[in-house]
């Protein structure tokens, strides 16, 4: 009969790993404790970590359907960030002939939207850009003709963003009335 020797450290280590993989601890036979890495702290998306675009509607409103613009927020940092809370939009008339149009997306729900680096979140902005009581050129009589808008992400300062078309060319955010609806962001 062979004399009994103590198991080597390598055997103990491998046995412990095998038991841990099976859900038991090597030293006691008790269930292994769940060990998960601490979650990385994700900061809020801010002016310093994002780029924002405002795209005016490609199609004018009808009497029953609003025009739909888009706000795009792109994470330009190397780390994830989160949009949580209300984002505010302010449009001021270029000639200061009308009161600013102000709205936020709190009514649309402002649940958290996580953005990976270089990912983009999009929100729709519904509005009327035609005066249906006017003439064929009624678009010109909208009270607000804004070539820039101010956008403030949740808890952040507002920044001025040029209004563009889908092709990236300069455009105008023409707003008739205060019925501007800012939707929730989606990634």
């Amino acid at each position: 009969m062979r004399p009994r020797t103590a198991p080597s450290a390598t055997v103990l280590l491998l046995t412990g790993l095998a038991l841990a993989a099976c859900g038991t601890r090597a030293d006691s036979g008790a269930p292994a404790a769940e060990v998960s890495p601490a979650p990385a702290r994700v900061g809020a998306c801010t002016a310093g970590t994002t780029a924002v675009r405002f795209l005016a509607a490609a199609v004018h409103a009808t009497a029953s359907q609003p025009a739909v613009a888009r706000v795009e927020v792109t994470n330009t940092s190397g780390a994830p960030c989160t949009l949580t809370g209300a984002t505010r939009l302010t449009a001021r008339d270029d000639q200061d002939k009308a009161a600013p149009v102000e709205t936020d997306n709190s009514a649309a729900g402002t649940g958290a939207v996580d953005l990976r680096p270089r990912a983009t979140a999009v929100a729709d902005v519904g509005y009327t850009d035609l005066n249906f009581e006017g003439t064929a050129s009624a678009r010109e009589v909208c009270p607000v003709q804004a070539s820039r808008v101010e956008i403030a992400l949740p808890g952040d300062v507002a920044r001025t963003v040029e209004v563009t078309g889908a092709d990236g060319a300069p455009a105008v955010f023409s707003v008739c009335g205060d019925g501007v609806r800012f939707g929730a962001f989606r990634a």
Side-chain angles (χ1 to χ4, degrees), residues 42-99:
V42 177
C45 297
T46 65
T49 61
T50 59
V52 175
R53 290 194 336 152
F54 183 86
L55 284 73
V59 178
H60 292 302
T62 66
S64 60
Q65 188 74 28
V68 180
R70 282 180 27 172
V71 175
E72 297 179 346
V73 177
T74 301
N75 181 355
T76 57
S77 74
C81 69
T82 300
L83 282 169
T84 305
T87 296
R88 191 176 71 252
L89 168 69
T90 306
R92 301 180 195 286
D93 180 58
D94 289 346
Q95 304 299 317
D96 290 325
K97 293 181 180 176

Side-chain angles (χ1 to χ4, degrees), residues 53 55 162-171:
R53 290 194 336 152
L55 284 73
E162 299 289 331
V163 176
T164 63
D167 61 357

Side-chain angles (χ1 to χ4, degrees), residues 22-50:
C22 293
T24 59
R25 287 183 39 192
D27 60 347
S28 68
E34 294 276 332
V35 178
S36 58
R41 182 163 174 81
V42 177
C45 297
T46 65
T49 61
T50 59

